[in-house]
Amino acid sequence: MDPAPFTRFRPLSAGRPIPEHPLHDTARQIDSVPAPEAAAYTFTRNTWVHASPDALFDLISDVSTISTWSPSAHGVAYDDGDGPWPGAHFQGRNRRGEREWGSRSQVVESLPGSVFAFVVDDIVRWRWTFRADGTGTVVEQSWQLLRLDPVLGSTRRDLDALRDHMATSVERTLLALARWIAERGDTTSP
């Protein structure tokens, strides 16, 4: 199936590249520049999905399903007795390239059919919003760095690479979600 009708992404928000100059070592210059504040590292992507906001909220807030679409997360599950409500905790495994690690998240917003957000290890905030649009829903996924942490990298280049990697991961996740729903014919209207 052609993914084009299901996807509308905002352009990557990475800054303009520093032009190469034969007298300068550009890589060293970038690495020597102090990293900006954490708030500078954020992005939002969205796509249109042929399903209702309530159905999408139910899919996304059941965190165990995220590995169905995400290339970066797997093995995600709520703690015993927890679910999609503020204060609930869940754990998962993440991967980036050959690196894999565990994470602990806490739900910070949960409004059925509208928004689902969580904070990972007090470092990153993920937020999903759902807005009815015709026979489907515009699903928006946001990523925001809340604080700098050595585990993320120590240079501007490291943080730029992380943000760009996560933006690509989100784009793939949203596209996979739209395809998954289209293939199943889940057209619950808003």
Side-chain angles (χ1 to χ4, degrees):
M1 171 168 266
D2 178 16
F6 302 105
T7 309
R8 293 181 295 209
F9 294 119
R10 294 181 183 166
L12 287 175
S13 60
R16 290 192 282 162
I18 298 173
E20 293 292 331
H21 188 279
L23 300 177
H24 299 291
D25 181 349
T26 305
R28 190 175 305 131
Q29 287 176 349
I30 292 172
D31 282 344
S32 67
V33 175
E37 293 296 314
Y41 290 94
T42 186
F43 64 82
T44 299
R45 301 290 185 269
N46 63 53
T47 191
W48 183 89
V49 178
H50 195 233
S52 72
D54 287 331
L56 289 163
F57 174 87
D58 290 346
L59 283 171
I60 299 305
S61 67
D62 175 3
V63 296
S64 66
T65 63
I66 193 64
S67 63
T68 305
W69 315 291
S70 174
S72 301
H74 65 98
V76 183
Y78 282 109
D79 291 358
D80 286 341
D82 271 346
W85 51 78
H89 288 90
F90 60 91
Q91 298 189 47
R93 302 287 307 158
N94 301 295
R95 67 177 81 94
R96 181 176 172 206
E98 297 297 316
R99 223 175 123 226
E100 187 171 318
W101 65 96
S103 63
R104 181 146 174 83
S105 300
Q106 182 176 22
V107 177
V108 294
E109 283 183 277
S110 184
L111 299 169
S114 180
V115 63
F116 182 74
F118 55 93
V119 172
V120 181
D121 295 325
D122 295 322
I123 298 173
V124 173
R125 178 184 176 98
W126 288 97
R127 189 168 195 263
W128 293 77
T129 61
F130 315 95
R131 181 178 47 81
D133 184 356
T135 60
T137 300
V138 174
V139 179
E140 188 171 89
Q141 189 177 7
S142 301
W143 180 89
Q144 177 187 11
L145 194 58
L146 300 175
R147 66 180 173 85
L148 299 178
D149 189 290
V151 74
L152 303 175
S154 58
T155 67
R156 178 182 297 268
R157 174 176 272 165
D158 292 342
L159 295 171
D160 287 349
L162 173 65
R163 180 206 49 226
D164 294 347
H165 168 79
M166 296 313 299
T168 299
S169 179
V170 165
E171 291 167 3
R172 289 179 180 160
T173 298
L174 290 170
L175 181 58
L177 174 64
R179 281 185 184 155
W180 187 84
I181 288 171
E183 288 169 359
R184 279 155 188 74
D186 186 2
T187 58
T188 309
S189 56

